[in-house]
Amino acid sequence: MSGASGHALALQGVSRRYGEFVAVRDATVEVARGEFLTLLGPSGSGKTTILMMIAGFVEPSAGRILLDGRDITPLPPERRDFGMVFQGYALFPHMSVAENVAFPLRVRRMGRAERDAKVRAALDLVQLDRFAERRPSQLSGGQQQRVALARALVFDPALLLLDEPLSALDKKLRAELQEELKALHRRVGRTFINVTHDQEEALSLSDRIAILDHGRLVQVGSPEALYERPATRFVADFLGKSNFLEGDVVPDAGGVVLRRGATAVVASGAAPPGRAVLSLRPERIALVPEGGEADNLVEGRIAAWSYLGTGYALTVSTADLGDLRVHLPAWGAPFAPAEGVPVRLGWSRAAAVAVAEDVAA
Amino acid sequence: MTPKGRHALGWWGLILPAFLLMTAFYVAPILQVLAISVTEPELGLQNYERLATSESVQRVILTTLRIGLITTAISLLLGYVLAFRIALADPRAQRWWLLAVLVPLWISVLVRAFAWVTLLRRQGLVNQGLMAAGAIEEPLALVWNEFGIVVGMVHYMVPYAVLPMLSAMKEIDPRVLAAARGLGAGRVVSFLRVFLPLSMPGVIAAGVLVFIFSLGFYITPAILGGGKTLMAAEWIKLQILDLIRWGLGAMMATVLVVAILATLAVFSRLVNLRRLFGAGGH
């Protein structure tokens, strides 16, 4: 199993309508060999519909799905040769763990000796070799999830599709299995397509993320690119938290200036003159001591605060920019926060980026 | 007595009237039947001796078992197809299907038996239709034999076969079927390896229910059998009401009760009966 064994998938203008309702609108995306792509979006954004169209359970109303350049749109699910981990795992309750994992090999009429060897290897891969004879109902959620993974990988599928694979697990186990899933992806070198609504999971697992909103693919890119340079207000808001500064902008040397009342905010990047929205991440705002310098400086008062362990989350009221969310690291915080305390906020020119308003659905 | 014990006593008190009613009007008569079978016409097991010696007794038992098994098999087959169709239908269609399955239950079994007689007799709709179409020369013997009995009984039993199987099928997680397809199994293999085994508890439940009903069936076999093919219930009636051989009739009734209890005992080891008949949940 190496990186070369992965397959490339492409969606070309894929749509799915249910009567008047458009679940997926003109989705075009390419998944490279061996890539880990996550479809991320809130519920009802169409991410699961896209996965079901890739798997073959839902027929696209328009568009094509290509595997290594070959059109697979008309193929039924059983002829696509994709491994799939279902939400809630969908293990066969009447079969043992080993029989579950052997199922895809059995329906492919593989010989017994080879089948047994593959099942053992797959169970080894997910560290469940000791549980081969158990029933799924006798396993914990995390173990069931691993059985589902072994079953989806045992027949060397062209792609592995994951439908909210971790959503049924508690938070701690989820973090653990996230790392395992990432390590597994590196080990087997296959193309993984994952669906989730959990932005942290998407950020930590994926090579690239495709963000969906109301059936539309809004932005596709690496986790860093999406977080640092969100294209729209929705992306900035859904991936992490953000302050949005709205106002009229004019071009400036190497960027734009946004004016709100007596305050001018400078930001890098380009935006056409006129109405614009800047996204400013809370953790990019710092407290500036008396006499300190920053590209942008704003006075305000702490309106609310909370301690998060890793840091403080402040809400700071300002005269021209309204309430700003600010995250400060707790360690080495220069002050003890309290409501009403005056603070000076500063951020660099590069901290804020212009984002587009969302297209109405 | 502990407060908890007194509490429990209160609950027992509540079911006491029902318990007394059952004892007086259900258990007592059954025990009496049992008693008659060993006391009439004189004390002894001579009635039960007939099980081994009398050809007519053996024939009735074999006929009853044979018709019961055939009816069960056909009802399960038809019921499974129907339940499968209903289980896969969307919820709105499901309600209509269920109504269609249940409506026959509201029509008197007597009316249905006579309806089958008019359809199946020599000058009935089926024979006349076939003759008019030129398929047969002579009318077929479709009623007043085992064939007629089986037709009428299957018609009566199909809803009882559908309901337990449908409830078992509805418990199957549809994602499990999708998983089978996604893992490379075609429709037929998915059905045989996943759906069918998961629906088996319902099939066994339906089988037990239909078979037990079939053993004691009276009206349909009496009318559609036309007195020529005797099943146990009609034979008992014949012994008691027509031939006034109470001991022999009571013996057969006891055999019937024992057969039913034995069937239940065997299948309760295979499946959870409490769950089948709707008690206790999971």
Side-chain angles (χ1 to χ4, degrees), chain A residues 35-59:
Chain A
E35 189 176 33
F36 195 130
L37 178 90
T38 295
L39 302 168
L40 175 68
S43 58
S45 60
K47 56 190 191 300
T48 301
T49 311
I50 291 190
L51 194 77
M52 290 301 156
M53 287 194 283
I54 297 173
F57 292 114
V58 174
E59 209 181 318

Side-chain angles (χ1 to χ4, degrees), chain A residues 96-150:
Chain A
S96 71
V97 166
E99 285 166 342
N100 261 281
V101 177
F103 182 85
L105 306 177
R106 205 181 269 272
V107 301
R108 284 171 177 75
R109 299 175 193 284
M110 182 180 278
R112 198 194 162 104
E114 194 185 352
R115 191 172 75 210
D116 287 350
K118 285 210 172 223
V119 168
R120 221 172 303 124
L123 286 176
D124 271 345
L125 188 70
V126 295
Q127 292 137 41
L128 277 180
D129 31 322
R130 288 177 300 124
F131 297 92
E133 296 316 316
R134 300 241 186 128
R135 291 277 161 142
S137 57
Q138 296 168 301
L139 301 182
S140 71
Q143 289 166 339
Q144 290 184 27
Q145 207 265 358
R146 289 198 203 122
V147 177
L149 271 172

